[in-house]
Amino acid sequence: MANTGSRYRGSITDYADFDSNRDAEALYTAMKGFGSDKEAILELITSRSSRQRQEICQSYKSLYGKDLIDDLKYELTGKFERLIVGLMRPLAYFDAKEIKDAISGIGTDEKCLIEILASRSNQQIHQLVEAYKDAYERNLEEDIVADTSGHFKKMLVVLLQGTREEDDVVSEDLVAQDVKDLYEAGELKWGTDEAQFIYILGNRSKQHLRLVFDEYLKTTGIPIEASIRGELSGDFEKLMLAVVKCIRSTAEYFAERLFKAMKGLGTRDNTLIRIMVSRSELDMLDIREVFRTKYEKSLYSMIKNDTSGEYKKALLKLCGGDDDAAGQFFPEAAKVAYQMWELSAVARVELKGTVRPAPNFDPEADAKALRKAMKGLGTDEDTIIDIITHRSNDQRQQIRQTFKSHFGRDLMADLKSEISGSLAKLILGLMMPPAHYDAKQLKKAMEGAGTDEQALIEILATRNNQEIRAINEAYQEDYHKSLEDDLTSDTSGHLKRILVSLATGNRDEGPENSEQAREDAQVIAEILEIADTTGGGDKPSLETRFLSILCSRSYQHLRRVFQEFIKMTNHDVEHTIKKEMSGDVRDALVAIVQSVKNKPLFFADKLYKSMKGAGTDEKTLTRIMVSRSETDLLNIRREFIDKYDKSLHHVIESDNSGDYLKALLALCGGED
């Protein structure tokens, strides 16, 4: 979402009653004598625009014959000093200093180079090059060339030219040609023609590239980000992904960078300072609104919880306001949510698993190899893992049959007696037909004391009609009971209604109906508003309609409903459900909404949560790796690295061990 027209979207504005001499005197007084008045310094500097701060610097020199930045450096320390001194430099000189620091000394801060050069406009790049020359009497391009290498270096040099086209008139023929060139340079080519990626992504206008990305998805079924991840690597890949993100929405790119700078252990203060200083007079309001939509919390509250002291106070002033305050509406944020639904409505992303049928498959040879791996003293786990994780489920069923015909033995029983623990659960899960595996997971979730509602929700909210019907048959066959009866006796209230409804496998499969979508959105809006009030409307019948809409309308129709909901309320349905509801009912409804929006992302989140923090939730990890390995695990991997900045392979490797780890990595199918 670019800045719209001439509307100012910064959080810092010119101070109304400005007098540079008076401000210079106030700062001098604040730093005079023993100790400095940090509160007065931060209050003054964060309340003036960059232009006004430059005037204060000049007045300070005229009045006291001293350099204000030098005095501030002397009086302040640490992160607070870096932030305040950063604010005192004009943006181009601030960027120049950041880049100089990134390439000085041992090692290079590639992330800093990527962030600045991928996100600045032509004009900002030209000013940066000039400022660098003025401040350091050196040529920025020569310094970057000396400090980087390969395709990463080439793309940085292209960006440093600041020659991106700025014409908003887009030629459809050129869009089609660029899509073809990118596809042929990457997906269709053995090896990658990086020069094409560099030329097109480094030079075309933002407007043109947005259409190229949309057309690329429609034509190939693959998002451009997925192609970049598949074809490029290392810092070059990270740079190209940053360029794509900034083309799509600079505000979203910075919201993501800020979130990652503060989540988890420790704060990446350099990144936090750089973004808060450099965007405070450009698009901080857009960044805040995207942040609120994407992460369901305000940037203000995250800074507040993650920093301290004067440093915190200064950052909060730059942030300019708390979007979690009651009664706030976010038209820009709602717009972003609307665009996300729009994208999910047009995306025809090809789902790909990581496990495919083995070529030259020989069930007899596999059966013999497995028998040999389990015979005699000790078990050859490597062979078992290698065979079972590299065959499709159909092929595994053939191996089971052949094993029985050849040896008169049940392969499942033999595996059970030879392997144990997490590895056994994973391998035995892979050996079951998918519907029987899901049926077993549902049965286990309802057995014994307590119910695993999360497992019930995960399976029933994400399977399509055909899969649900197959699960019902498998459940009846394996347990001589109906799934619906067990769900009815094991759950209660709204959760029971949702799960039983999903378990019928009767979701519509037709296209959207615009008129119906508006009515459905109205029902959802009424229910979610009623959650805050008492009385009003016929609540029971509204609730029934609400649950029926989410559990029985087609995915395509629901996407339209969720867009209509935004038009009607200015809020995103997922965030509203999370805010207004609680417990398992909320989790079930959110799972349905997330599946409609982006099912692979839903599973990526579940996998991440199963491994973050203390201890691993092996049940969830095993269940998802088994059930998605032939469906969409490749898509899940792509969503995982996009959201968490680390690959699924890497997180599995850091969090597991032994033969279980080997089997999981084989299913994962590669490092991104």
Side-chain angles (χ1 to χ4, degrees):
M1 179 175 40
N3 273 357
T4 42
S6 57
R7 242 172 7 124
Y8 181 71
R9 302 296 292 159
S11 54
I12 300 287
T13 51
D14 279 341
Y15 186 69
D17 185 23
F18 177 63
D19 178 336
S20 61
N21 284 339
R22 187 175 63 209
D23 284 351
E25 284 168 19
L27 287 171
Y28 184 75
T29 306
M31 294 188 281
K32 217 168 65 177
F34 192 68
S36 50
D37 183 350
K38 296 184 181 67
E39 189 88 30
I41 294 170
L42 87 85
E43 195 56 47
L44 193 149
I45 288 175
T46 57
S47 307
R48 307 297 184 267
S49 67
S50 180
R51 181 184 61 77
Q52 291 174 333
R53 290 182 212 122
Q54 301 322 305
E55 288 184 37
I56 297 169
C57 278
Q58 284 171 340
S59 294
Y60 194 90
K61 190 155 240 169
S62 307
L63 288 169
Y64 305 108
K66 298 169 77 162
D67 184 273
L68 175 55
I69 288 184
D70 286 347
D71 280 6
L72 287 166
K73 275 186 186 167
Y74 180 76
E75 289 293 333
L76 310 175
T77 56
K79 298 174 284 200
F80 180 55
E81 179 230 313
R82 284 215 302 281
L83 179 64
I84 294 296
V85 167
L87 286 167
M88 295 311 297
R89 291 193 170 101
L91 180 58
Y93 285 83
F94 175 73
D95 278 351
K97 171 85 166 66
E98 290 293 304
I99 286 191
K100 184 82 172 89
D101 290 348
I103 53 181
S104 293
I106 300 168
T108 306
D109 180 355
E110 289 84 4
K111 284 185 174 168
C112 170
L113 296 181
I114 290 169
E115 182 198 295
I116 292 175
L117 296 179
S119 66
R120 303 305 192 247
S121 66
N122 287 348
Q123 189 187 2
Q124 288 168 335
I125 294 278
H126 297 153
Q127 289 167 348
L128 159 63
V129 171
E130 286 301 311
Y132 192 90
K133 196 178 189 90
D134 181 45
Y136 306 110
E137 296 176 355
R138 297 177 66 88
N139 179 294
L140 176 53
E141 186 180 319
E142 285 171 14
D143 281 3
I144 280 183
V145 165
D147 211 68
T148 56
S149 61
H151 298 298
F152 178 58
K153 171 177 77 180
K154 287 177 196 161
M155 184 63 177
L156 290 176
V157 168
V158 168
L159 294 173
L160 268 176
Q161 305 315 299
T163 51
R164 185 176 295 291
E165 294 157 2
E166 291 180 328
D167 188 2
D168 275 351
V169 181
V170 176
S171 147
E172 284 179 25
D173 290 348
L174 188 56
V175 167
Q177 186 60 49
D178 280 352
V179 169
K180 183 170 176 284
D181 289 349
L182 286 170
Y183 191 52
E184 285 174 359
E187 298 281 345
L188 289 185
K189 194 179 170 70
W190 183 260
T192 307
D193 179 0
E194 289 87 358
Q196 279 289 16
F197 279 86
I198 290 172
Y199 176 71
I200 294 170
L201 292 181
N203 290 286
R204 299 283 192 244
S205 75
K206 285 192 162 192
Q207 189 66 22
H208 173 87
L209 284 171
R210 283 184 198 121
L211 291 176
V212 168
F213 300 158
D214 290 347
E215 202 51 46
Y216 190 90
L217 178 61
K218 281 183 204 160
T219 308
T220 67
I222 305 166
I224 188 72
E225 291 89 341
S227 282
I228 287 172
R229 274 196 207 97
E231 299 300 326
L232 314 178
S233 62
D235 291 321
F236 179 47
E237 176 199 336
K238 291 189 184 104
L239 173 58
M240 296 309 248
L241 287 171
V243 169
V244 170
K245 278 178 181 162
C246 288
I247 298 291
R248 287 199 190 279
S249 163
T250 313
E252 190 171 347
Y253 171 71
F254 283 116
E256 200 174 290
R257 293 277 297 154
L258 284 167
F259 180 73
K260 285 175 180 168
M262 291 182 282
K263 79 178 175 99
L265 280 167
T267 305
R268 296 176 198 166
D269 292 295
N270 284 358
T271 304
L272 182 55
I273 291 168
R274 189 166 55 241
I275 298 173
M276 296 304 289
V277 167
S278 65
R279 310 314 291 185
S280 58
E281 288 182 53
L282 293 172
D283 52 4
M284 186 55 72
L285 300 186
D286 290 335
I287 292 168
R288 267 171 44 185
E289 286 170 335
V290 175
F291 195 98
R292 180 72 184 76
T293 301
K294 213 169 164 165
Y295 303 112
E296 299 156 48
K297 60 180 84 169
S298 66
L299 174 58
Y300 190 95
S301 67
M302 199 155 180
I303 290 172
K304 198 170 168 182
N305 295 331
D306 215 68
T307 57
S308 61
E310 276 91 11
Y311 176 53
K312 170 166 87 173
K313 285 179 192 162
L315 286 170
L316 291 177
K317 290 272 290 183
L318 293 181
C319 181
D322 187 357
D323 302 314
D324 279 342
Q328 285 273 15
F329 278 87
F330 315 109
E332 299 292 338
K335 196 167 147 192
V336 172
Y338 187 89
Q339 285 162 351
M340 284 175 185
W341 284 112
E342 190 65 59
L343 195 64
S344 90
V346 299
R348 293 284 174 271
V349 178
E350 188 187 350
L351 296 178
K352 285 184 181 170
T354 50
V355 174
R356 298 177 186 82
N360 311 319
F361 172 59
D362 181 347
E364 197 174 315
D366 284 348
K368 284 178 179 168
L370 286 169
R371 176 78 182 122
K372 188 179 169 194
M374 294 187 283
K375 229 167 74 173
L377 223 65
T379 307
D380 177 359
E381 283 91 354
D382 284 349
T383 297
I384 295 171
I385 292 167
D386 188 51
I387 292 174
I388 291 174
T389 59
H390 291 97
R391 305 294 181 268
S392 68
N393 196 277
D394 283 346
Q395 290 176 334
R396 293 182 208 124
Q397 302 318 311
Q398 288 181 55
I399 297 170
R400 270 179 84 169
Q401 191 55 58
T402 307
F403 197 88
K404 189 156 242 173
S405 309
H406 261 68
F407 306 111
R409 301 172 68 92
D410 178 12
L411 176 55
M412 294 286 276
D414 279 8
L415 285 166
K416 244 183 215 169
S417 70
E418 290 294 328
I419 54 178
S420 61
S422 308
L423 177 67
K425 290 191 177 80
L426 185 71
I427 294 293
L428 292 167
L430 290 167
M431 290 306 302
M432 295 176 78
H436 288 266
Y437 180 70
D438 279 347
K440 184 175 182 187
Q441 297 305 305
L442 291 168
K443 180 77 175 143
K444 280 165 79 172
M446 293 184 280
E447 263 172 3
T451 305
D452 181 353
E453 288 86 1
Q454 291 303 313
L456 298 179
I457 291 166
E458 178 203 300
I459 295 169
L460 294 173
T462 59
R463 305 305 192 251
N464 62 33
N465 287 345
Q466 197 182 348
E467 289 166 334
I468 294 275
R469 287 169 197 154
I471 291 169
N472 276 300
E473 281 177 34
Y475 199 93
Q476 185 70 49
E477 188 186 321
D478 294 345
Y479 308 110
H480 312 294
K481 297 172 84 170
S482 90
L483 172 59
E484 189 178 320
D485 288 350
D486 276 0
L487 285 168
T488 303
S489 62
D490 210 69
T491 57
S492 61
H494 286 321
L495 181 66
K496 174 169 81 177
R497 287 166 69 185
I498 295 166
L499 295 177
V500 168
S501 177
L502 292 173
T504 59
N506 282 327
R507 188 178 286 287
D508 296 342
E509 290 177 345
E512 66 188 63
N513 172 334
S514 302
E515 202 172 314
Q516 181 70 58
R518 280 190 287 278
E519 283 177 33
D520 288 348
Q522 184 65 47
V523 170
I524 294 174
E526 283 180 42
I527 268 293
L528 293 175
E529 277 180 5
I530 283 171
D532 261 351
T533 60
T534 49
D538 178 5
K539 195 171 175 184
S541 73
L542 268 178
E543 280 175 353
T544 304
R545 281 177 67 194
F546 171 61
L547 297 182
S548 166
I549 289 164
L550 287 179
C551 296
S552 65
R553 300 280 196 257
S554 74
Y555 273 21
Q556 203 175 335
H557 178 79
L558 283 173
R559 287 188 185 110
R560 182 62 58 208
V561 173
F562 299 154
Q563 280 194 311
E564 292 296 334
F565 181 85
I566 290 171
K567 275 189 198 165
M568 215 171 270
T569 66
N570 230 6
H571 288 79
D572 182 49
V573 72
E574 183 185 333
H575 297 159
T576 312
I577 288 170
K578 283 178 177 170
K579 186 169 162 250
E580 300 294 348
M581 300 193 155
S582 60
D584 297 323
V585 172
R586 178 196 60 197
D587 292 347
L589 296 176
V590 166
I592 294 168
V593 173
Q594 288 178 338
S595 291
V596 173
K597 189 188 282 186
N598 183 338
K599 202 178 284 183
L601 179 58
F602 169 77
F603 283 116
D605 283 340
K606 296 278 286 183
L607 283 170
Y608 181 75
K609 284 172 186 153
S610 76
M611 292 182 280
K612 79 174 179 117
T616 305
D617 173 3
E618 285 175 359
K619 265 190 199 166
T620 302
L621 178 56
T622 301
R623 187 171 60 241
I624 296 175
M625 295 299 285
V626 168
S627 63
R628 308 317 293 180
S629 57
E630 281 182 71
T631 311
D632 53 3
L633 190 51
L634 197 60
N635 307 76
I636 292 168
R637 264 171 45 185
R638 286 168 176 167
E639 295 293 348
F640 194 99
I641 194 165
D642 198 31
K643 180 156 183 186
Y644 297 109
D645 239 13
K646 51 185 88 164
S647 67
L648 176 58
H649 185 284
H650 170 77
V651 175
I652 289 173
E653 205 168 32
S654 314
D655 215 67
N656 300 278
S657 60
D659 292 322
Y660 179 55
L661 169 63
K662 283 182 198 165
L664 286 171
L665 291 180
L667 289 181
C668 182
E671 167 70 287
D672 295 304

